[in-house]
Amino acid sequence: MSQNDIHPMDKLIRADRMPHIWCSGCGLGTNFSCFLSALDQSGLDIDKCVIVSGIGCTGRIPGYTNIDSYHTTHGRAIPFATGLKLANPELTVIVFSGDGDLFAIGGNHFIHAARRNVDINIICVNNFNYGMTGGQFGPTTPLDAITTTSPYGNYEHPFNLVQVAAGSGAVYVVRWTSLHVRRLTNSIKEALLKKGFTFIEIISPCPTSFGRRNKLGDGLDEMKYYQKYSVIRHGIDPKDADLCLNGKIVVGKFIDVDKPTFLDNQPDLVSMAEKNKK
Amino acid sequence: MDYWRKPLDIDKYEITHGAIHIIIDRCKGCNFCIEFCPKKVLEVSNEFNVKGYHPPMVADQAGCVACKLCELICPEFAIYVTEDKHMAISKKEPHED
């Protein structure tokens, strides 16, 4: 046990930075582990992969990944990723960020990158609140949920992230929970190898903020809740995959289509302009 | 687990066997591996690690079939499984919980 303490994933993590900052019972470590397995199994050249994130608990993931990584400003992960992809189309660009980062401050970037079908992979960890800053409510907090800034219950309607992604034009839309480790790994692998704007939502426990205030128990209790209440419905209309507090969690692959990407459609503007000059 | 029937052709397959390695000082005691191990191989130990958590311990080494679910679900990269070819349990009946 002690003579051989090298975890097989230590080649892809910055092991000197372990332990990471995530709380005991947080789902982020599990999501990260699934992502690394998927990256490992996908057979991609890791020197041609870049991981980008914004700010938040999930935003720490690039800092722990031993591949090229960018930790950008709040909400701007997608613009950075788009720039990377357009400047060097050979790269596989992954955006790994939280619901607050991608859909609150970064919401506009998300819908437009999806509309343009930029060839980047989005992995969004949804823990229903702003965990790092103390558990404030955000655009994914379900109705009636208690958070630090909604002590009498949240009265705003939340986003249904898979519907937002599908409506904006994403070519691959999937939702899993942190418990669905095998399916999540397979979906991430599929998304990495797929061309176009892919979106994976991961429902993840936040025992310190969201779970504690809504009496969901510790991380293990939330995982048991996912085991009991998640239902797999592949191919259903994303509008029927709404989430509510203490309700069923509809998971599965909702959209998987092919369409030309932003770079495929881009005309050769330089030669067109030169032709015009003559 | 209750969900699974016994496969009809189970005697044609050799069941792999795993050796579990636990990096005790990385563990934060979330108990995911203990709860979700399909063969219930792990248990909470009484000892403490440097952080003051109770890491898991292997209670039923012979039961491990190297499915590596614990390796994938562990948020801390603190547990991994290597396949142990010499100890393959080809004749052993699967556990019936």
Side-chain angles (χ1 to χ4, degrees):
Chain A
M1 233 181 268
S2 53
Q3 78 282 8
N4 184 24
D5 275 355
I6 300 199
H7 192 279
M9 279 305 143
D10 276 9
K11 61 184 175 187
L12 288 173
I13 59 176
R14 298 183 193 191
D16 55 321
R17 299 211 181 167
M18 294 286 136
H20 50 60
I21 63 155
W22 302 314
C23 313
S24 170
C26 175
L28 274 166
T30 305
N31 306 341
F32 184 35
S33 156
C34 294
F35 164 70
L36 293 179
S37 298
L39 188 65
D40 200 30
Q41 290 167 23
S42 69
L44 292 167
D45 178 5
I46 59 160
D47 290 335
K48 293 232 158 63
C49 294
V50 187
I51 178 164
V52 185
S53 80
I55 301 297
C57 288
T58 320
R60 308 288 296 209
I61 280 179
Y64 297 125
T65 320
N66 200 11
I67 64 174
D68 288 343
S69 49
Y70 282 88
H71 190 184
T72 71
T73 44
H74 198 9
R76 312 299 171 223
I78 290 175
F80 271 78
T82 307
L84 275 166
K85 184 69 193 179
L86 299 191
N88 187 354
E90 273 183 19
L91 298 176
T92 302
V93 183
I94 305 123
V95 175
F96 208 133
S97 213
D99 53 307
D101 187 71
L102 286 173
F103 286 92
I105 185 166
N108 217 359
H109 300 303
F110 180 88
I111 57 174
H112 289 289
R115 174 179 65 79
R116 294 182 183 121
N117 197 20
V118 184
D119 187 9
I120 55 178
N121 307 292
I122 312 287
I123 304 172
C124 173
V125 179
N126 183 0
N127 56 11
F128 305 112
N129 73 137
Y130 290 99
M132 183 175 265
T133 49
Q136 293 83 359
F137 75 89
T140 51
T141 309
L143 270 178
D144 301 326
I146 311 286
T147 65
T148 27
T149 44
S150 61
Y152 304 107
N154 177 33
Y155 54 85
E156 291 182 13
H157 288 287
F159 265 143
N160 175 0
L161 299 187
V162 288
Q163 195 185 358
V164 174
S168 309
V171 295
Y172 184 84
V173 179
V174 165
R175 177 195 279 152
W176 296 114
T177 73
S178 286
L179 182 68
H180 295 90
V181 282
R182 302 249 191 245
R183 293 173 192 273
L184 176 60
T185 307
N186 289 336
S187 286
I188 296 177
K189 196 163 63 182
E190 221 171 274
L192 287 175
L193 299 172
K194 192 172 169 71
K195 270 189 97 171
F197 188 92
T198 65
F199 177 70
I200 296 172
E201 178 186 5
I202 313 173
I203 309 289
S204 198
C206 178
T208 307
S209 288
F210 191 79
R212 180 163 57 92
R213 295 208 169 80
N214 289 288
K215 311 260 185 298
L216 303 177
D218 58 16
L220 185 61
D221 292 325
E222 286 190 56
M223 291 287 249
K224 285 182 189 163
Y225 173 80
Y226 299 156
Q227 188 176 32
K228 210 169 161 194
Y229 287 97
S230 53
V231 279
I232 300 175
R233 294 273 183 276
H234 289 303
I236 66 158
D237 192 330
K239 80 172 166 37
D240 301 326
D242 256 334
L243 295 172
C244 57
L245 191 65
N246 300 325
K248 272 190 184 155
I249 301 173
V250 180
V251 295
K253 177 155 78 174
F254 305 111
I255 309 272
D256 188 359
V257 293
D258 288 303
K259 67 178 180 187
T261 66
F262 182 74
L263 280 169
D264 291 342
N265 278 348
Q266 194 178 39
D268 188 358
L269 292 173
V270 177
S271 59
M272 281 163 87
E274 276 175 356
K275 212 195 279 173
N276 227 3
K277 234 190 274 175
K278 282 169 195 168
Chain B
M1 300 250 291
D2 311 320
Y3 303 111
W4 311 111
R5 66 174 175 82
K6 192 172 156 188
L8 297 171
D9 52 354
I10 190 154
D11 49 334
K12 287 187 195 147
Y13 292 93
E14 192 181 46
I15 299 166
T16 50
H17 184 78
I20 301 165
H21 307 268
I22 302 165
I23 306 171
I24 286 170
D25 288 341
R26 275 191 185 176
C27 179
K28 283 186 198 159
C30 67
N31 291 359
F32 288 175
C33 55
I34 298 167
E35 176 66 30
F36 296 112
C37 171
K39 304 297 274 181
K40 303 282 172 237
V41 166
L42 299 161
E43 255 176 33
V44 186
S45 71
N46 286 325
E47 59 174 306
F48 291 97
N49 66 6
V50 285
K51 298 193 197 101
Y53 292 107
H54 293 290
M57 64 171 196
V58 183
D60 178 17
Q61 175 67 60
C64 179
V65 293
C67 74
K68 303 192 181 181
L69 187 89
C70 53
E71 187 178 314
L72 201 54
I73 208 167
C74 176
E76 308 294 330
F77 303 94
I79 187 165
Y80 64 98
V81 178
T82 47
E83 261 180 54
D84 198 340
K85 294 242 159 48
H86 302 292
M87 283 178 72
I89 37 175
S90 51
K91 293 282 180 286
K92 204 164 181 270
E93 287 287 301
H95 284 235
E96 289 186 17
D97 315 305

